[in-house]
Each structure stands twice: as structure tokens, then as C-alpha cells.
């Protein structure tokens, strides 16, 4: 009687071993089958054998990745093609990772998943390679095309007025975020491949509202009218009669600035033929010095100074300098600092 239970036990053990063996053989036969619910770059490769999965990824994944990345800024667009970026995808590595994930767990887990039709819900990102240099070159090109320095507000002088010229904001491309966005699109197999170039604005250092404070003093010399206009905070404060350079020694037109100031200056005679024996000499303050009271130099040797020859005012009589009456030049001197613009019209 004791032999019968032993026989039954042995039989059950044999059946169990045969069953386990069959399970092992069946599981081993699926070593290259990817579990359901596995996606690579949005492509479903669940239930496929490795080679079939590679073929499917080659067809669908590469088609998706072989679309250009487009960066837009208003009406401008900048394109980086996969060929320019040297985009490649390691399909075999993606399939190997999918198989590895599929084989995780025990044999019973895998068998149970198959029997009950469970899915893993695994979404893998493909290993995509690209040229970082190509991305940097594109971003540099975008930056060079779009970015601009801010332009300060300024003053445009003329013979009759001072016109305010509005400043302009600068534009700076946010290069680091742009590089990151381009890299993400190059490695992302799906979705939109167009991005907007992010920029930030840089305000000018001098705005229109600040011009009056910046230009506390401004001088405009009207040669034809023989007058000097003094502007205080861009508003005409006073007009003075002057003498300008005679024919052949005209006061040069252009925009200059006060380069130096001096009280009771000496006359450093220019080394020119018209100066005769005095050429290159220095005449100290006194009766022989034609430069009286004050000196405000601009344009190298030219300057604004006082004169006792008030009869010359209102004419072209000097050797290139601007002559004023002594009281007028003393008054102007008090209001003018080094750097004050001088516009000769």
C-alpha cells in the first residue's frame, strides 16, 4: 500500500518537471520577442521579434527624425536639416534595450503577462547622435542676424534747431536656451519641429527723456548769419553776434566739442604763412595778444575767444576762430564745460 502514494508523488513530480521544462523551452523561444507595450520614440514595437522591430524603427523612426528643425523669428526662418546636423540613430541599441526590459522579472512573470495579455507600458527614447558644432554654427548665425546693439537717443543739430533722435532698444538672442531647444528637437522623433527664437530687449543707456539732462549745453555756430546760438538743456537760451573765418581760412564746418578752456590765454601762433614772422611763436596775454579774456578750443587749433575788435563782429574776419565780444565770451564761458558739443553750420 505504501508504494502507491510514492508512485503518485513521483508521477506528479514528473509532470511538474515536464511542465517547468516546457515553460522554460517556451520562454527561451521568446528571447528575441519584445513584450507588448514597448515603444521607442513613439513607435510601437511590442510583440515583434528583434529583426522585425529594427525594420519597423528604420522605416518609421528615421522618417520622423529626417525632418528639418526650423527656428522662426517673426518673418524670418532658419533651417537645420538632418544632413547638415549629421543626425544618426542607433536602432540596434534601442531594440537591445527593449529586449532587456522585456526579459525583466521571473519566468512566471513573463508567462503570466503573456497569458493574461498584460502590457509593460515602456516608452524608450532612441539614442540619437548629432553634430554639436552644426548646432552652434546655426545659433551663431541666428545671433548675428537678429541681435543688435541698443542705440542711444541723441541730438541731430542743424543751423536752426536741435532735433531729438529717438533711441532704439537692442535685441539679444537667448543663445543657450536656443541651443537646448534645437538639440531636443533633433533627438525627438515626434511632434512639431519648429521653434520660436527667444530674445530679450536691452534698453539704451540714453533715452529721449534723458537728452535734455545729458546735453546741458550745446553750441551752434551759424557762419552765414554770423551768430552763435547757445542752447541750455536743448532750449535756445541766447544768441550772440560773432566773427568767423575769412575766405581761405574759413571756420571748418562739422560737429566738434569743447576740448579745453582757458582764462586770459596766450596766443600760440599757428605755423602758417599768414602769420609771417610770428609763425610758431607764443604771444603772452597783453596788448599784442588778440585772444582776449577767454578761450574755448575745439577742432584742434580753432576756438572761441574774445576780441577787442568788436567792429569785426558780423563778418568773416578771423583766421578760422570764432570771435565774440569780451562780455559775451565771459558770459558764455561760465555756462560751457569741456565736452560741450559745437556744431558749425
Amino acid at each position: 500500500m505504501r508504494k502507491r502514494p510514492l508512485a503518485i508523488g513521483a508521477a506528479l513530480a514528473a509532470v511538474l518537471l515536464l511542465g517547468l521544462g516546457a515553460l522554460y523551452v517556451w520562454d527561451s523561444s521568446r528571447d528575441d520577442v519584445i513584450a507588448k507595450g514597448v515603444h521607442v520614440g513613439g513607435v510601437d514595437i511590442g510583440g515583434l521579434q528583434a529583426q522585425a522591430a529594427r525594420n519597423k524603427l528604420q522605416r518609421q523612426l528615421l522618417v520622423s527624425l529626417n525632418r528639418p528643425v526650423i527656428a522662426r523669428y517673426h518673418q524670418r526662418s532658419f533651417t537645420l536639416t538632418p544632413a547638415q546636423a549629421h543626425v544618426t540613430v542607433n536602432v540596434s541599441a534601442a531594440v537591445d534595450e527593449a529586449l532587456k526590459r522585456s526579459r525583466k522579472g521571473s519566468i512566471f512573470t513573463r508567462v503570466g503577462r503573456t497569458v493574461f495579455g498584460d502590457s509593460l507600458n515602456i516608452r524608450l527614447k532612441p539614442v540619437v547622435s548629432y553634430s554639436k558644432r552644426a548646432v552652434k554654427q546655426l545659433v551663431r548665425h541666428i545671433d548675428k542676424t537678429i541681435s543688435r546693439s541698443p542705440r542711444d537717443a541723441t541730438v541731430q543739430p542743424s543751423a536752426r534747431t536741435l532735433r531729438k533722435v529717438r533711441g532704439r532698444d537692442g535685441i539679444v538672442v537667448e543663445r543657450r536656451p536656443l541651443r537646448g531647444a534645437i538639440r531636443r528637437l533633433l533627438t525627438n522623433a515626434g511632434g512639431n519641429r519648429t521653434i520660436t527664437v527667444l530674445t530679450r530687449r536691452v534698453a539704451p543707456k540714453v533715452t529721449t527723456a534723458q537728452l535734455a539732462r545729458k546735453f546741458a549745453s550745446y553750441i551752434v555756430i551759424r557762419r552765414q548769419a554770423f551768430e552763435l546760438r547757445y542752447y541750455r538743456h536743448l532750449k535756445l537760451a541766447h544768441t550772440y553776434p560773432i566773427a568767423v573765418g575769412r575766405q581761405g581760412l574759413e571756420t571748418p564746418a562739422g560737429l566738434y566739442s569743447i576740448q579745453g578752456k582757458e582764462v586770459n590765454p596766450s596766443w600760440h601762433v599757428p605755423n602758417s604763412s599768414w602769420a609771417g614772422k610770428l609763425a610758431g611763436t607764443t604771444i603772452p596775454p597783453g596788448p599784442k595778444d588778440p585772444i582776449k579774456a577767454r578761450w574755448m578750443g575745439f577742432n584742434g587749433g580753432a576756438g572761441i575767444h574774445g576780441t577787442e575788435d568788436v567792429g569785426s563782429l558780423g563778418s568773416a574776419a578771423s583766421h578760422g576762430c570764432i570771435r565774440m565780444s569780451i562780455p559775451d565770451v565771459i558770459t558764455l564761458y561760465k555756462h560751457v564745460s569741456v565736452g560741450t558739443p559745437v556744431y558749425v553750420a
Side-chain angles (χ1 to χ4, degrees), residues 17-31:
L17 288 174
L18 287 173
L20 289 174
L23 286 178
Y24 178 79
V25 171
W26 179 86
D27 184 59
S28 297
S29 69
R30 297 178 61 84
D31 278 347

Side-chain angles (χ1 to χ4, degrees), residues 11 28 47 60-61 64 67 84 101 118 136 149 151 185 201 203 206 244 271 293 341:
S28 297
Q60 298 185 23
L61 191 59
S64 179
R67 292 182 295 138
Q84 292 170 330
R101 296 287 191 93
D118 294 337
K136 290 180 179 179
S149 299
R151 183 182 66 202
L185 290 186
R201 293 191 171 271
V206 180
V244 298
N271 196 8

Side-chain angles (χ1 to χ4, degrees), residues 3-313:
K3 292 181 179 181
R4 186 174 181 182
L6 291 174
I8 293 173
L12 290 174
V15 170
L16 181 61
L17 288 174
L18 287 173
L20 289 174
L23 286 178
Y24 178 79
V25 171
W26 179 86
D27 184 59
S28 297
S29 69
R30 297 178 61 84
D31 278 347
D32 70 339
V33 177
I34 298 168
K36 290 183 179 181
V38 178
H39 297 74
V40 175
V43 179
D44 184 5
I45 57 173
L48 298 179
Q49 289 184 313
Q51 186 57 51
R54 282 191 285 269
N55 293 339
K56 186 174 183 180
L57 290 176
Q58 288 284 355
R59 291 194 308 272
Q60 298 185 23
L61 191 59
L62 292 182
V63 168
S64 179
L65 286 170
N66 278 331
R67 292 182 295 138
V69 171
I70 300 174
R72 296 192 184 279
Y73 181 77
H74 297 308
Q75 302 302 317
R76 294 176 176 173
S77 62
F78 306 86
T79 301
L80 180 63
T81 66
Q84 292 170 330
H86 303 289
V87 175
T88 59
V89 59
N90 194 334
V91 170
S92 295
V95 172
D96 290 344
E97 181 63 21
L99 288 172
K100 181 180 178 181
R101 296 287 191 93
S102 299
R103 300 299 295 173
K104 275 190 174 181
S106 68
I107 185 173
F108 300 106
T109 301
R110 294 190 292 273
V111 171
R113 191 168 58 232
T114 302
V115 171
F116 296 106
D118 294 337
S119 296
L120 290 179
N121 192 25
I122 293 175
R123 301 188 180 276
L124 301 176
K125 189 174 182 179
V127 180
V128 180
S129 301
Y130 60 89
S131 168
K132 293 182 178 180
R133 180 180 179 184
V135 174
K136 290 180 179 179
Q137 287 177 337
L138 176 65
V139 172
R140 280 198 297 266
H141 173 62
I142 294 173
D143 182 36
K144 185 177 180 180
T145 304
I146 295 175
S147 293
R148 70 185 186 198
S149 299
R151 183 182 66 202
D152 289 345
T154 188
V155 171
Q156 181 63 53
S158 67
R160 294 188 174 276
T161 188
L162 297 178
R163 183 174 65 88
K164 295 179 181 179
V165 179
R166 295 176 62 87
R168 183 185 67 183
D169 286 347
I171 299 175
V172 176
V173 171
E174 298 285 9
R175 296 193 296 180
R176 181 176 294 180
L178 179 58
R179 285 196 297 267
I182 293 172
R183 289 168 180 170
R184 285 191 294 273
L185 290 186
L186 286 174
T187 58
N188 186 7
N192 186 12
R193 296 176 76 79
T194 300
I195 57 173
T196 300
V197 178
L198 297 179
T199 61
R200 59 182 171 88
R201 293 191 171 271
V202 180
K205 293 180 179 179
V206 180
T207 65
T208 306
Q210 297 170 326
L211 285 175
R213 185 167 70 251
K214 179 181 179 181
F215 295 103
S217 299
Y218 211 110
I219 293 172
V220 174
I221 296 170
R222 300 180 65 198
R223 292 179 299 175
Q224 297 300 317
F226 303 108
E227 67 178 24
L228 183 151
R229 290 189 167 194
Y230 169 68
Y231 291 84
R232 186 70 177 168
H233 298 299
L234 303 184
K235 293 183 179 180
L236 183 61
H238 207 284
T239 300
Y240 300 98
I242 59 172
V244 298
R246 67 183 64 171
Q247 186 176 3
L249 295 170
E250 292 87 352
T251 305
L255 180 61
Y256 310 100
S257 64
I258 297 297
Q259 298 168 326
K261 298 173 63 181
E262 192 174 349
V263 176
N264 296 323
S266 298
W267 181 31
H268 302 281
V269 185
N271 196 8
S272 301
S273 58
W274 62 261
K277 294 181 179 181
L278 296 177
T281 63
T282 298
I283 309 300
K288 294 184 180 181
D289 183 4
I291 300 177
K292 302 297 183 182
R294 302 289 185 271
W295 169 264
M296 291 164 277
F298 68 91
N299 186 33
I304 303 168
H305 65 83
T307 182
E308 289 180 336
D309 186 10
V310 292
S312 66
L313 303 182

